[in-house]
Amino acid sequence: MPSPIRRIFDPHIHMTSRTTDDYAAMYDAGVRALVEPSFWLGQPRTSPASFYDYFDGLLGWEPFRAAQYGIAHHCTLALNPKEANDPRCLPVLDELPRYLLKDGVVAVGEIGYDSMTPAEDTALAAQLQLARTHELPALVHTPHRDKAAGLARTLDVLRESGLPPAFVVLDHLNETTVGPAADSGCWLGFSIYPDTKMDPDRMVRILRVHGTERVLVNSAADWGRSDPLKTAHVADAMLAAGFEEDDVDQVLWRNPVAFYGQSGRLRLDATGPETQLFEGNSILRGGE
Amino acid sequence: MLTPLASLRTGLELRLTADARAWLHLALSEASGAGEDGPGGGLPPWERHFVTAGRRCHATEQQPGPSPDPVDTVDAVDAARVLILHAAAPGADAVAALYRRGSAGERRAVLLALPHLDPPPATEAALGLVEDALRTNDTRLVAAALGPYAAAHLDAHQWRHGVLKCLFTGVPLAAVAGLEHRAAGDGELARMLEDYARERTAAGRAVPEDLEHALRLARFDEPPARPARRPHPQDRTEGSES
Ligand SMILES: [Zn+2]
């Protein structure tokens, strides 16, 4: 049974791919705020305009949907590394500065490496500079394949960028990459999945070793096999392992608030257990 | 007597923190001198203020000032954006681009500003924005789309569908500007409302009170000689600012 005061901020979840049932279940589990990074939709896009519609959704429809379930929605915007390899999508980089100004954009991301190509080098470096000029943090994921080498190369590019480590979260970390990531001074992001990539008990063991500072835990839920309640499961596992409620609050609320708060654009005034649901609910009545 | 925009500004200033008020004054003075591009060919400063209003325009927690909006749905950020847009007086293409490239909040502000813009936007282009918003399911956009501009310019078919959409999506009909005037004696609207009421009843669901109200208006066969229409505070065209 979650504590009545539990509040959860999921710092990385792709709600565009989720249903309203998920929003309701997340609210019941204590989720009151989230960040949705722009990413690959599973089907490759072939034109910049299709990115702009997606960005518009992250700045319009999705925050509206979230608000109806009492959850504050923010986003991060970027050209993701996979699609940075398609020259047809590259004009997105020129339009990004305009989008990065928007209220509700709390970081540049997800950026990072997918297959570690020269095109990905260019897109990553260019977008780290956009983060600098817009005074925004950066959400940098580590690649799913060849993770250790990918992290090393990512750290090199980050050093060259001049973006302060405090403005960077390295995401999708695990036991093998947490050491060098922690040494870099960046924030440490862990995505908890229903399969073997990273589970709540392993997360708790990492928290025991590395402590609760600078750690962000997310569900990274999307259109793949994933679970939007994984953040709550980590909270339960922490308590079961002897962590205090205050540790849970630090990892699952205060840390993401501190990290994304560096953007100066978080809006959390309407969050909390007493949050009013939006009155005119075109989703609940739906089906139009 | 204050014009709607002057009272909008007065009401807004009363609601803002000191920092936000200083920001508003800067934004409005830069908007009045609009036209120049920003440094380095970026956005003009006024447009940057328009875009970033959500994180600059903080209202105090105290009692909001008198709002000229009958539904009182215009929050401080909306109001600031409307004032900036009015002061910048962009051309019709710029207004459309602002909407097209805007977040939902910016789009809402463009819709709310339509009746205030001077020079007034080209009707067809402005209606294109209203129609775009009416295609969404975002109730904040739908409500803003059915303001005084739609009351004055939207064709009967689309306006009726807008009213029906409000009932479907839970937007109070108080958001529909000029409802009394446009609904009065509209037999087709009455038919649509009756059909919808029947559908609700057949599904065992309550008929919204708002529907009954609109239906009473629409059933008038003859509009009263003098339309019993309270002037909408945003209806009047812009005159002098004081
Ligand atoms: Zn992701």
Side-chain angles (χ1 to χ4, degrees), chain B residues 189-205:
Chain B
L189 179 66
R191 182 200 62 75
M192 291 165 76
L193 294 172
E194 281 160 1
D195 282 357
Y196 180 44
R198 245 194 312 278
E199 214 180 296
R200 299 269 312 190
T201 310
R205 303 173 70 194

Side-chain angles (χ1 to χ4, degrees), chain B residues 215-232:
Chain B
L215 193 53
R216 275 194 299 274
L217 292 168
R219 273 180 182 151
F220 277 130
D221 290 330
E222 290 171 20
R226 287 171 66 88
R229 176 188 176 218
R230 262 188 312 124
H232 191 290

Side-chain angles (χ1 to χ4, degrees), chain B residues 1-9 66-74 82 112-113 115-116 146-149 151 174-180 229-240:
Chain B
M1 167 139 192
L2 293 174
T3 62
L5 274 194
S7 47
L8 188 67
R9 175 161 179 179
S67 166
D69 186 283
V71 199
D72 199 23
T73 53
V74 176
V82 168
L112 292 171
H116 301 297
L146 289 171
Y149 197 85
V176 179
L179 180 74
E180 284 81 1
R229 176 188 176 218
R230 262 188 312 124
H232 191 290
Q234 298 188 351
D235 264 359
R236 284 165 288 133
T237 47
E238 286 305 304
S240 67

